[in-house]
Amino acid sequence: METELSRKLGVEHAIFGFTPFPAVAAAITRAGGFGVLGAVRYTAPDDLKRDLDWMQAHTDGKPYGLDVVMPAKKAVDGIAEADIEAMIPAGHRAFVRDTLAKHHVPELAEGEASGWRITGWMEQVARSQLDVAFDYPIKLLANALGSPPADVIARAHDHGVLVAALAGSAKHARRHAEAGIDIVVAQGYEAGGHTGDIATMVLVPEIVEAVAPLPVLAAGGIGSGEQIAAGLALGAQGAWLGSLWLTTTEADLHSRALTEKLLAAGSGDTVRSRALTGKPARQLRTEWTDAWDDPDGPGALPMPLQGLLVAEAVSRIQKYEVEPLLGTPVGQIVGRMNSERSVQAVFDELTSGFEKAIDRINRIAGRVREA
């Protein structure tokens, strides 16, 4: 599963695995892929440093990368978090209280801080993450919401780090190319987290054509070697996988109930909702997403206000495992995630499926691979 891009980065397989868990990212890299650690939950630079130290010690000298979030359009800029929180309408706060009360969600213990904050959606936080990250030998910096600012791209290039950005349309991909991005991740509608509304099979070849000769990674609904082969056939130089790792044994969801929900979910059990961050993000459909998507409700606030609004509520839902409200960002590939396996076992299945797909195409084309 080698491509020009994977050879450039020094990895055996052109599988790029995004995950918020250092143990998963490191295991992806050790298995021959390219682990990408999501930084959005690291609001304290020392916490990111701790986990990058761990990554450095557990990747056997193989390459890995970091994913940050710098929204292309910001509701706020250069404003302190406390001042941003003051912008949240009282009616939205009441809606959160009423929804939690309806489902009898307990309060956090006195003095206990919310364990889930997404101030990482704020540019100044992402910049502090980069101050830490560039002290490590990361090989790739990815941005989940558009092209990073020009000075960030230049800074990455000065450190010899390639820059990737996710795109949900050919128009967005062209903007990335014009901004100096090195790799475009063509993320289809099926993907977990923030995503557009064009399906992967349509999107990938459109973006490949739009930004040629820049390398493109296929993303969205990919969870098998056969699908990776299809992405390469469409012109991609690798696959970007995120949701598939959530049910690996190395993942740390801190919730058995959530793991069980993922294992039981079908491909139709997700929804694109603004409930979590204020931007459309595919996640498990729950009574929480239904409440926010109800036209009779107040509607989600723009990023980062929505994330700040619901941070404590999400912490309470997760801590007490309130099943009707319990969810997580995940793509439609969740329908294939029906057993817990190690990252290495997932890789073994991906490479085996890829080989089967190539053999099948060779037979259709009248070619037989040499033994």
Side-chain angles (χ1 to χ4, degrees):
M1 245 186 287
E2 287 187 352
T3 65
E4 181 181 349
L5 178 60
S6 68
R7 288 190 289 271
K8 182 176 182 178
L9 287 167
V11 296
E12 181 180 358
H13 302 299
I15 297 175
F16 295 73
F18 164 79
T19 173
F21 307 116
V24 176
I28 291 168
T29 286
R30 292 197 305 272
F34 191 97
V36 181
L37 178 65
V40 71
R41 297 192 183 199
Y42 294 95
T43 56
D46 286 347
D47 291 341
L48 178 59
K49 183 180 186 303
R50 176 202 64 215
D51 282 356
L52 287 177
D53 283 339
W54 189 93
M55 288 275 295
Q56 191 64 20
H58 291 83
T59 46
D60 299 338
K62 297 179 178 179
Y64 59 92
L66 190 74
D67 180 278
V68 298
V69 174
M70 290 185 171
K73 296 181 180 179
K74 299 178 282 292
V76 293
D77 190 14
I79 304 175
E81 181 180 339
D83 294 331
I84 296 172
E85 294 232 30
M87 299 167 62
I88 297 173
H92 281 73
R93 294 190 184 279
F95 182 76
V96 170
R97 289 194 300 270
D98 292 346
T99 303
L100 295 179
K102 175 182 177 182
H103 292 274
H104 309 289
V105 182
E107 298 276 355
L108 295 176
E110 185 176 353
E112 181 179 357
S114 167
W116 189 86
R117 304 291 289 173
I118 56 170
T119 49
W121 303 117
M122 298 163 62
E123 183 176 317
Q124 58 264 39
V125 176
R127 286 183 177 275
S128 70
Q129 294 166 350
L130 296 180
D131 290 339
V132 172
F134 286 132
D135 287 336
Y136 293 82
I138 62 171
K139 299 299 183 184
L140 177 70
L141 174 67
N143 188 44
L145 292 175
S147 303
D151 68 295
V152 171
I153 296 174
R155 187 179 178 191
H157 288 165
D158 287 345
H159 283 82
V161 176
L162 297 180
V163 180
L166 277 64
S169 72
K171 179 175 68 175
H172 295 157
R174 291 189 192 97
R175 290 176 184 167
H176 295 340
E178 293 166 358
I181 293 296
D182 304 292
I183 302 166
V184 177
V185 181
Q187 180 171 270
Y189 170 84
E190 303 94 326
H194 296 111
T195 183
D197 52 13
I198 303 175
T200 304
M201 184 66 73
V202 174
L203 182 67
V204 172
E206 286 187 355
I207 288 184
V208 167
E209 181 179 351
V211 302
L214 284 184
V216 173
L217 300 178
I222 298 176
S224 72
E226 291 86 349
Q227 290 172 306
I228 294 173
L232 299 189
L234 293 172
Q237 289 201 32
W240 177 277
L241 284 66
S243 298
L244 190 64
W245 316 109
L246 289 173
T247 53
T248 56
T249 53
E250 293 89 346
D252 188 10
L253 289 176
H254 298 294
S255 171
R256 187 64 207 173
L258 180 54
T259 298
E260 293 293 343
K261 287 190 77 170
L262 289 169
L263 294 173
S267 57
D269 293 328
T270 68
V271 63
R272 285 173 75 239
S273 171
R274 299 178 184 269
L276 190 61
T277 70
K279 285 183 176 290
R282 185 171 297 283
Q283 54 203 280
L284 280 179
R285 182 174 182 175
T286 66
E287 292 188 30
W288 178 256
T289 62
D290 286 349
W292 282 103
D293 296 338
D294 189 332
D296 292 332
L301 296 169
M303 178 183 284
L305 300 180
Q306 181 70 12
L308 294 172
L309 168 65
V310 305
E312 181 181 320
V314 172
S315 286
R316 290 164 59 185
I317 291 166
Q318 292 176 345
K319 176 178 179 178
Y320 299 110
E321 297 188 316
V322 183
E323 198 277 340
L325 305 179
L326 189 62
T328 185
V330 69
Q332 292 180 331
I333 198 64
V334 70
R336 292 182 62 94
M337 295 158 49
N338 48 25
S339 65
E340 292 180 86
R341 298 169 295 161
S342 68
V343 167
Q344 184 62 62
V346 172
F347 255 83
D348 291 343
E349 184 176 282
L350 291 173
T351 54
S352 174
F354 181 84
E355 291 173 356
K356 290 177 182 176
I358 297 303
D359 286 343
R360 185 181 304 119
I361 295 301
N362 280 329
R363 288 196 301 270
I364 292 171
R367 297 188 297 269
V368 179
R369 295 177 63 195
E370 295 181 5

